[in-house]
PDB file of all heavy atoms in Angstrom:
ATOM      1  N   GLY A   6     -10.622  -5.193  -9.690  1.00  0.00           N
ATOM      2  CA  GLY A   6     -11.963  -4.964 -10.208  1.00  0.00           C
ATOM      3  C   GLY A   6     -12.921  -4.510  -9.134  1.00  0.00           C
ATOM      4  O   GLY A   6     -12.646  -3.542  -8.415  1.00  0.00           O
ATOM      5  N   ASP A   7     -13.986  -5.214  -8.981  1.00  0.00           N
ATOM      6  CA  ASP A   7     -15.056  -4.839  -8.057  1.00  0.00           C
ATOM      7  C   ASP A   7     -14.568  -4.898  -6.616  1.00  0.00           C
ATOM      8  O   ASP A   7     -14.147  -5.943  -6.128  1.00  0.00           O
ATOM      9  CB  ASP A   7     -16.237  -5.787  -8.264  1.00  0.00           C
ATOM     10  CG  ASP A   7     -17.480  -5.341  -7.501  1.00  0.00           C
ATOM     11  OD1 ASP A   7     -17.375  -4.392  -6.701  1.00  0.00           O
ATOM     12  OD2 ASP A   7     -18.545  -5.948  -7.708  1.00  0.00           O
ATOM     13  N   LEU A   8     -14.642  -3.768  -5.920  1.00  0.00           N
ATOM     14  CA  LEU A   8     -14.201  -3.711  -4.532  1.00  0.00           C
ATOM     15  C   LEU A   8     -15.077  -4.565  -3.627  1.00  0.00           C
ATOM     16  O   LEU A   8     -14.650  -4.949  -2.529  1.00  0.00           O
ATOM     17  CB  LEU A   8     -14.193  -2.257  -4.054  1.00  0.00           C
ATOM     18  CG  LEU A   8     -13.460  -1.956  -2.749  1.00  0.00           C
ATOM     19  CD1 LEU A   8     -12.028  -2.422  -2.814  1.00  0.00           C
ATOM     20  CD2 LEU A   8     -13.519  -0.476  -2.437  1.00  0.00           C
ATOM     21  N   LYS A   9     -16.275  -4.876  -4.059  1.00  0.00           N
ATOM     22  CA  LYS A   9     -17.185  -5.676  -3.237  1.00  0.00           C
ATOM     23  C   LYS A   9     -16.669  -7.100  -3.036  1.00  0.00           C
ATOM     24  O   LYS A   9     -17.155  -7.814  -2.164  1.00  0.00           O
ATOM     25  CB  LYS A   9     -18.586  -5.694  -3.851  1.00  0.00           C
ATOM     26  CG  LYS A   9     -19.245  -4.319  -3.898  1.00  0.00           C
ATOM     27  CD  LYS A   9     -20.621  -4.382  -4.534  1.00  0.00           C
ATOM     28  CE  LYS A   9     -21.276  -3.002  -4.540  1.00  0.00           C
ATOM     29  NZ  LYS A   9     -20.544  -2.021  -5.360  1.00  0.00           N
ATOM     30  N   GLY A  10     -15.689  -7.506  -3.826  1.00  0.00           N
ATOM     31  CA  GLY A  10     -15.093  -8.823  -3.639  1.00  0.00           C
ATOM     32  C   GLY A  10     -13.845  -8.812  -2.785  1.00  0.00           C
ATOM     33  O   GLY A  10     -13.200  -9.838  -2.605  1.00  0.00           O
ATOM     34  N   HIS A  11     -13.509  -7.638  -2.244  1.00  0.00           N
ATOM     35  CA  HIS A  11     -12.287  -7.491  -1.458  1.00  0.00           C
ATOM     36  C   HIS A  11     -12.603  -7.009  -0.038  1.00  0.00           C
ATOM     37  O   HIS A  11     -13.593  -6.320   0.197  1.00  0.00           O
ATOM     38  CB  HIS A  11     -11.336  -6.497  -2.115  1.00  0.00           C
ATOM     39  CG  HIS A  11     -10.735  -6.998  -3.388  1.00  0.00           C
ATOM     40  ND1 HIS A  11     -11.421  -6.996  -4.581  1.00  0.00           N
ATOM     41  CD2 HIS A  11      -9.510  -7.529  -3.654  1.00  0.00           C
ATOM     42  CE1 HIS A  11     -10.651  -7.503  -5.532  1.00  0.00           C
ATOM     43  NE2 HIS A  11      -9.485  -7.822  -4.999  1.00  0.00           N
ATOM     44  N   ALA A  12     -11.730  -7.368   0.880  1.00  0.00           N
ATOM     45  CA  ALA A  12     -11.745  -6.839   2.239  1.00  0.00           C
ATOM     46  C   ALA A  12     -10.517  -5.958   2.401  1.00  0.00           C
ATOM     47  O   ALA A  12      -9.409  -6.342   1.990  1.00  0.00           O
ATOM     48  CB  ALA A  12     -11.718  -7.970   3.262  1.00  0.00           C
ATOM     49  N   ILE A  13     -10.687  -4.788   2.982  1.00  0.00           N
ATOM     50  CA  ILE A  13      -9.603  -3.803   3.065  1.00  0.00           C
ATOM     51  C   ILE A  13      -9.154  -3.653   4.518  1.00  0.00           C
ATOM     52  O   ILE A  13      -9.969  -3.381   5.407  1.00  0.00           O
ATOM     53  CB  ILE A  13     -10.062  -2.437   2.537  1.00  0.00           C
ATOM     54  CG1 ILE A  13     -10.683  -2.576   1.149  1.00  0.00           C
ATOM     55  CG2 ILE A  13      -8.891  -1.460   2.497  1.00  0.00           C
ATOM     56  CD1 ILE A  13     -11.413  -1.327   0.703  1.00  0.00           C
ATOM     57  N   PHE A  14      -7.853  -3.802   4.734  1.00  0.00           N
ATOM     58  CA  PHE A  14      -7.257  -3.620   6.055  1.00  0.00           C
ATOM     59  C   PHE A  14      -6.141  -2.584   5.929  1.00  0.00           C
ATOM     60  O   PHE A  14      -5.260  -2.719   5.073  1.00  0.00           O
ATOM     61  CB  PHE A  14      -6.702  -4.945   6.590  1.00  0.00           C
ATOM     62  CG  PHE A  14      -7.725  -6.034   6.679  1.00  0.00           C
ATOM     63  CD1 PHE A  14      -7.827  -6.997   5.683  1.00  0.00           C
ATOM     64  CD2 PHE A  14      -8.610  -6.099   7.751  1.00  0.00           C
ATOM     65  CE1 PHE A  14      -8.781  -8.005   5.755  1.00  0.00           C
ATOM     66  CE2 PHE A  14      -9.561  -7.106   7.830  1.00  0.00           C
ATOM     67  CZ  PHE A  14      -9.651  -8.059   6.832  1.00  0.00           C
ATOM     68  N   LEU A  15      -6.184  -1.560   6.779  1.00  0.00           N
ATOM     69  CA  LEU A  15      -5.230  -0.465   6.679  1.00  0.00           C
ATOM     70  C   LEU A  15      -4.585  -0.174   8.025  1.00  0.00           C
ATOM     71  O   LEU A  15      -5.277  -0.026   9.044  1.00  0.00           O
ATOM     72  CB  LEU A  15      -5.927   0.805   6.185  1.00  0.00           C
ATOM     73  CG  LEU A  15      -6.591   0.729   4.796  1.00  0.00           C
ATOM     74  CD1 LEU A  15      -7.429   1.979   4.556  1.00  0.00           C
ATOM     75  CD2 LEU A  15      -5.547   0.559   3.703  1.00  0.00           C
ATOM     76  N   ASP A  16      -3.262  -0.096   8.034  1.00  0.00           N
ATOM     77  CA  ASP A  16      -2.548   0.452   9.176  1.00  0.00           C
ATOM     78  C   ASP A  16      -2.862   1.945   9.253  1.00  0.00           C
ATOM     79  O   ASP A  16      -3.397   2.536   8.304  1.00  0.00           O
ATOM     80  CB  ASP A  16      -1.054   0.200   8.984  1.00  0.00           C
ATOM     81  CG  ASP A  16      -0.207   0.832  10.061  1.00  0.00           C
ATOM     82  OD1 ASP A  16      -0.573   0.731  11.237  1.00  0.00           O
ATOM     83  OD2 ASP A  16       0.830   1.444   9.716  1.00  0.00           O
ATOM     84  N   LEU A  17      -2.521   2.578  10.366  1.00  0.00           N
ATOM     85  CA  LEU A  17      -2.858   3.985  10.541  1.00  0.00           C
ATOM     86  C   LEU A  17      -1.621   4.878  10.368  1.00  0.00           C
ATOM     87  O   LEU A  17      -1.435   5.478   9.321  1.00  0.00           O
ATOM     88  CB  LEU A  17      -3.511   4.180  11.912  1.00  0.00           C
ATOM     89  CG  LEU A  17      -4.500   5.347  12.062  1.00  0.00           C
ATOM     90  CD1 LEU A  17      -5.347   5.170  13.301  1.00  0.00           C
ATOM     91  CD2 LEU A  17      -3.807   6.684  12.084  1.00  0.00           C
ATOM     92  N   ASP A  18      -0.763   4.958  11.379  1.00  0.00           N
ATOM     93  CA  ASP A  18       0.406   5.842  11.318  1.00  0.00           C
ATOM     94  C   ASP A  18       1.348   5.408  10.194  1.00  0.00           C
ATOM     95  O   ASP A  18       1.771   4.254  10.138  1.00  0.00           O
ATOM     96  CB  ASP A  18       1.171   5.818  12.645  1.00  0.00           C
ATOM     97  CG  ASP A  18       0.355   6.362  13.794  1.00  0.00           C
ATOM     98  OD1 ASP A  18      -0.647   5.722  14.169  1.00  0.00           O
ATOM     99  OD2 ASP A  18       0.701   7.417  14.323  1.00  0.00           O
ATOM    100  N   GLY A  19       1.681   6.343   9.325  1.00  0.00           N
ATOM    101  CA  GLY A  19       2.595   6.049   8.240  1.00  0.00           C
ATOM    102  C   GLY A  19       1.942   5.392   7.044  1.00  0.00           C
ATOM    103  O   GLY A  19       2.620   5.110   6.043  1.00  0.00           O
TER     104      GLY A  19
END
Side-chain angles (χ1 to χ4, degrees):
D7 189 352
L8 194 56
K9 296 179 179 64
H11 290 79
I13 308 168
F14 302 99
L15 299 171
D16 175 44
L17 208 163
D18 296 67

